[in-house]
Amino acid sequence: MATRTILQCGHPLLHQPAQPVLAVDAAEVQALAQELVQVCLEAQGVGLAAPQIGVPWQILVVASRPNPRYPTAPTMAPLVMINPEITATAGEPVWGWEGCLSVPNRRGLVARAPWIQVRYLDLQGREMTQEFTDFVARIVQHEYDHLQGRLFLDRRPQRLLSEAEYRAQVLRA
Ligand code: NI
């Protein structure tokens, strides 16, 4: 499979809304979903959205697992969501550190809801409703933002650090 470039902050596709997927069973949609999972894991991300690899469709993957970029992330099987919609949130927003494969060398402290409910289509086109909490809820909100053309930088981070500062000040704290 050809290697995909991950688009970087400033590319127009990262700053505009993605389009709904009309035919989940289309071969190109299925292939794109598999590619998203693969690129996400290879890049040591915990999530990835289709616009980040240059496709303006509403598809994201959440794939939390411990890796060098997120040593304390919980482990889950990669989950693909098509046309996701956050249908409810609850709880006081919680500040937490985020990075993004499209925002190199930056970590930001961003406020997110600690509980969300999401409706989406799975890879078989079934309508799913699922709840997420804490770090995984944060990932879903971050990736969902990508589908609206928003980066975590647009979420007014309370603090913004370089990767080296983050490792020294936060990970080793
Ligand atoms: Ni991101």
Side-chain angles (χ1 to χ4, degrees):
M1 184 175 291
T3 341
R4 288 267 197 172
T5 309
I6 297 178
L7 303 185
Q8 301 296 292
C9 182
H11 191 289
L13 279 185
L14 293 175
H15 305 279
Q16 67 190 44
Q19 300 302 309
V21 171
L22 300 180
V24 171
D25 58 351
E28 55 196 332
V29 171
Q30 297 287 318
L32 175 64
Q34 298 315 317
E35 199 174 348
L36 266 183
V37 172
Q38 186 188 344
V39 173
C40 179
L41 296 180
E42 283 175 1
Q44 298 181 341
V46 289
L48 193 66
Q52 292 182 273
I53 58 169
V55 182
W57 294 346
Q58 293 179 15
I59 308 181
L60 62 80
V61 59
V62 182
S64 179
R65 61 188 52 198
N67 66 42
R69 294 184 73 240
Y70 297 94
T72 61
T75 300
M76 62 183 283
L79 175 62
V80 173
M81 298 184 194
I82 298 169
N83 301 346
E85 190 181 344
I86 295 178
T87 46
T89 64
E92 283 295 306
V94 175
W95 294 98
W97 288 98
E98 297 184 15
C100 180
L101 295 170
S102 295
V103 184
N105 197 31
R106 286 289 179 275
R107 297 285 181 134
L109 193 55
V110 179
R112 303 281 189 187
W115 182 95
I116 60 171
Q117 182 185 65
V118 187
R119 189 168 61 210
Y120 64 94
L121 301 177
D122 72 6
L123 277 171
Q124 283 74 46
R126 296 175 295 209
E127 188 172 302
M128 312 291 284
T129 299
Q130 200 169 342
E131 288 149 22
F132 300 93
T133 58
D134 303 321
F135 187 68
V136 178
R138 175 175 299 279
I139 300 171
V140 176
Q141 290 170 85
H142 175 117
E143 303 311 330
Y144 179 80
D145 269 357
H146 276 299
L147 302 184
Q148 323 306 315
R150 281 195 298 261
L151 301 177
F152 78 84
L153 299 174
D154 301 317
R155 288 290 184 184
R156 296 172 165 267
Q158 191 184 60
R159 293 176 68 197
L160 202 56
L161 298 179
S162 72
E163 196 72 35
E165 290 167 334
Y166 174 75
R167 283 174 190 280
Q169 296 176 27
V170 181
L171 280 192
R172 290 190 194 122

